Amino acid sequence: MEFVLPFILVLFASFFQGTFGLGMKHIAPLKWEAWWLLHSFVAMIFVPMVWASIVVPDLFDVIAQTDNAALSSAMLYGFLWGIGGILFGVSVEYTGISITYGIVMGLAASMGCVIPLIQIDGAMNQPAFPIILIGVTLLLVGVAITAIAGVQRDKKQTDVDQTGKSIKVGILIAVASGVLSAFLNVGFSNAAPVADIAINQFGAGPRDASLAAWVVVLIGAFAMNGGYALFLLVKNNSWSSYRVSNSGKAYKWAILAGVFWFAALGVYGQGAALMGSLGPVIGWPILLGLALVISNIWAYRGGEWQNAQKPFKILLAGLIVLIIAICILGYANY
């Protein structure tokens, strides 16, 4: 059970991660910045702090006793991840969702695994090291195949004329977004001192202590996301969007998507904590790989693969490779 429970938790986290994006289909009639400010506050401040405060009663004492350098580092990584999220949206305008999503998911999964791995003393001497590399390599292959399937589907369903220059610019932006998106997990890994204090000085369990680590990382993440949304609200003078009629559904989805978004990270963090020192290394690519599988299941149910039989077969091949990669990564922690 000690081996199975962490992966059950990561599986549940993947469901939340692959599902929360459904809420972004229900932004109207709110302006994007109005919706995003509410969503990011719920996802990055309200839910993490409430959940962590319940399971770690002395949460703010834990944070206060953590070394300032560790806190600053974790928050900085969260802030950098926020920049990656903004760049994701910019890249989509140049290259489309499929290419951007494939590049960002691949880089976020691999870099978010490799960076915490090389930060571990003697990482290359660990028996699991070559197995992890094989798993991550296969994961990248699986993401690339699903991206190709998405590109071919989009060609069948749309007539978008893009210049070579715009695609190159979009790809460069997507690469930057993918690298920065990995820093969310790097921040979680570097927030380990917060969890250690919660465990050793305040008696919290490893699963619960992981939530205290997320609170610190996501303060930095909200500084970027909430700050950018506020900037747009001021720049566009779009505060009146909050008073628009028939916006109840948009409010509901902003909150629900925020709950799902942090549920993914919170449950993932609990599973990673139970995996030991390699938890953030192995759990992160499993989380993103399974989330990609789940998001495509939702896309299929939503009719996004209709009249695209050949691309769908390519997608299935990519998902099979992803599942094999996830099994290999799981074995690496056995």
Side-chain angles (χ1 to χ4, degrees):
M1 190 62 181
E2 290 182 2
F3 173 74
V4 175
L5 180 58
F7 290 97
I8 292 176
L9 289 172
V10 175
L11 177 61
F12 274 106
S14 302
F15 170 78
F16 292 127
Q17 180 69 21
T19 302
F20 89 91
L22 294 175
M24 298 191 71
K25 297 181 179 180
H26 304 282
I27 293 177
L30 293 179
K31 294 290 187 180
W32 178 89
E33 55 265 32
W35 191 94
W36 194 256
L37 180 61
L38 175 60
H39 165 73
S40 59
F41 176 77
V42 171
M44 302 171 198
I45 299 294
F46 183 76
V47 177
M49 285 192 176
V50 170
W51 189 358
S53 296
I54 292 171
V55 298
V56 184
D58 300 304
L59 172 66
F60 295 103
D61 289 336
V62 169
I63 295 173
Q65 294 193 29
T66 305
D67 180 69
N68 286 335
L71 293 177
S72 299
S73 173
M75 290 181 189
L76 175 61
Y77 283 124
F79 186 86
L80 292 173
W81 165 81
I83 297 175
I86 301 302
L87 290 178
F88 179 91
V90 176
S91 178
V92 167
E93 294 182 3
Y94 281 94
T95 61
I97 187 67
S98 297
I99 295 176
T100 300
Y101 200 68
I103 292 172
V104 171
M105 284 290 287
L107 285 173
S110 56
M111 298 292 289
C113 165
V114 171
I115 294 174
L117 178 62
I118 62 178
Q119 290 179 328
I120 299 174
D121 291 335
M124 295 184 182
N125 297 323
Q126 295 204 25
F129 181 75
I131 302 174
I132 293 172
L133 289 184
I134 292 171
V136 170
T137 301
L138 271 179
L139 190 83
L140 285 170
V141 172
V143 170
I145 294 172
T146 58
I148 291 169
V151 171
Q152 293 197 8
R153 178 200 64 189
D154 291 349
K155 284 181 178 178
K156 282 181 171 293
Q157 296 178 348
T158 60
D159 257 343
V160 180
D161 182 21
Q162 293 173 310
T163 65
K165 182 179 178 181
S166 69
I167 291 177
K168 290 178 182 177
V169 171
I171 288 174
L172 288 174
I173 296 172
V175 168
S177 173
V179 173
L180 290 171
S181 295
F183 287 150
L184 190 62
N185 192 52
V186 177
F188 175 69
S189 178
N190 281 266
V194 182
D196 291 341
I197 289 174
I199 295 168
N200 298 324
Q201 297 185 28
F202 292 84
R207 284 174 56 186
D208 295 335
S210 67
L211 293 164
W214 276 126
V215 167
V216 175
V217 178
L218 294 179
I219 289 174
F222 180 74
M224 177 62 211
N225 282 269
Y228 182 67
L230 281 170
F231 167 75
L232 291 179
L233 282 165
V234 173
K235 178 186 175 184
N236 300 330
N237 193 24
S238 50
W239 295 98
S240 60
S241 175
Y242 285 115
R243 298 191 301 271
V244 70
S245 59
N246 300 318
S247 57
K249 189 174 183 180
Y251 277 114
K252 180 188 74 174
W253 276 103
I255 294 169
L256 189 60
V259 172
F260 268 56
W261 186 85
F262 183 71
L265 293 187
V267 177
Y268 153 70
Q270 292 183 323
L274 295 179
M275 290 180 184
S277 61
L278 288 177
V281 174
I282 293 171
W284 181 252
I286 292 176
L287 169 72
L288 294 189
L290 281 174
L292 186 56
V293 173
I294 291 167
S295 65
N296 274 292
I297 291 173
W298 286 119
Y300 176 78
R301 287 177 58 86
E304 294 182 20
W305 291 92
Q306 285 183 357
N307 303 318
Q309 187 174 10
K310 184 177 178 180
F312 183 68
K313 289 179 180 178
I314 297 173
L315 172 71
L316 290 179
L319 297 183
I320 290 170
V321 174
L322 282 173
I323 292 170
I324 293 171
I326 290 164
C327 291
I328 291 173
L329 287 167
Y331 177 75
N333 197 57
Y334 180 70

